C-alpha cells in the first residue's frame, strides 16, 4: 500500500487520538517474514477504540523496519502523536 492510500484511509477514519507504526512476524513459527501495521487509537468517544491497517505483508526484517521508520517520519508531518514501536512480540 502506498503512502497516499494510507493517508487517505487515515483521513477517512477521523477522530484520531494517536498512531503507532509496528511490525510483527507473519507466522509464529517463522521469523523470516514480517507484516507492517499502522495502528490507530481513536478518540475515546468514537465507536471503535482501535483499528489496524496492514501496510505490507511478508516483508523481510530489514524491509519491514525501513518501511515502519519511513512511515513514522512521513505520517508525523501530518498527524500528532505518531510513534514508532518497531518489532512487536506476539
Amino acid at each position: 500500500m502506498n503512502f497516499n492510500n494510507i493517508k487517505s484511509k487515515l483521513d477517512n477514519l477521523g477522530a484520531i487520538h494517536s498512531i503507532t507504526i509496528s511490525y510483527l512476524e507473519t507466522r509464529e513459527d517463522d521469523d523470516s517474514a514480517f507484516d507492517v501495521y499502522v495502528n490507530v487509537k481513536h478518540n475515546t468517544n468514537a465507536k471503535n477504540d482501535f483499528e489496524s491497517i496492514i501496510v505490507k505483508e511478508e516483508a523481510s526484517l530489514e524491509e519491514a523496519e525501513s518501511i515502519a521508520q519511513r512511515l513514522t517520519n512521513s505520517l508525523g508531518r501530518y498527524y500528532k502523536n505518531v510513534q514508532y514501536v518497531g518489532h512487536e512480540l506476539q
Side-chain angles (χ1 to χ4, degrees):
M1 181 178 294
N2 70 37
F3 178 77
N4 290 332
N5 290 348
I6 295 165
K7 185 167 178 331
S8 176
K9 280 189 175 234
L10 291 172
D11 288 343
N12 290 335
L13 289 175
I16 295 173
H17 179 264
S18 63
I19 298 171
T20 57
I21 315 295
S22 62
Y23 54 92
L24 57 103
E25 287 89 353
T26 301
R27 292 173 292 283
E28 286 185 34
D29 60 342
D30 181 9
D31 63 355
S32 66
F34 296 83
D35 295 339
V36 181
Y37 295 89
V38 172
N39 307 296
V40 179
K41 181 169 177 24
H42 296 281
N43 286 335
T44 54
N45 55 355
K47 284 183 185 177
N48 297 328
D49 191 31
F50 184 81
E51 193 161 338
S52 289
I53 300 169
I54 299 175
V55 174
K56 176 81 174 173
E57 294 180 299
E58 299 194 15
S60 69
L61 175 60
E62 294 80 15
E63 183 182 18
E65 191 171 83
S66 174
I67 291 169
Q69 289 176 344
R70 286 189 326 234
L71 266 176
T72 302
N73 291 335
S74 297
L75 290 174
R77 294 182 190 131
Y78 297 95
Y79 304 98
K80 293 188 262 180
N81 298 326
V82 177
Q83 295 179 353
Y84 173 78
V85 174
H87 186 196
E88 287 192 74
L89 301 176
Q90 289 189 11

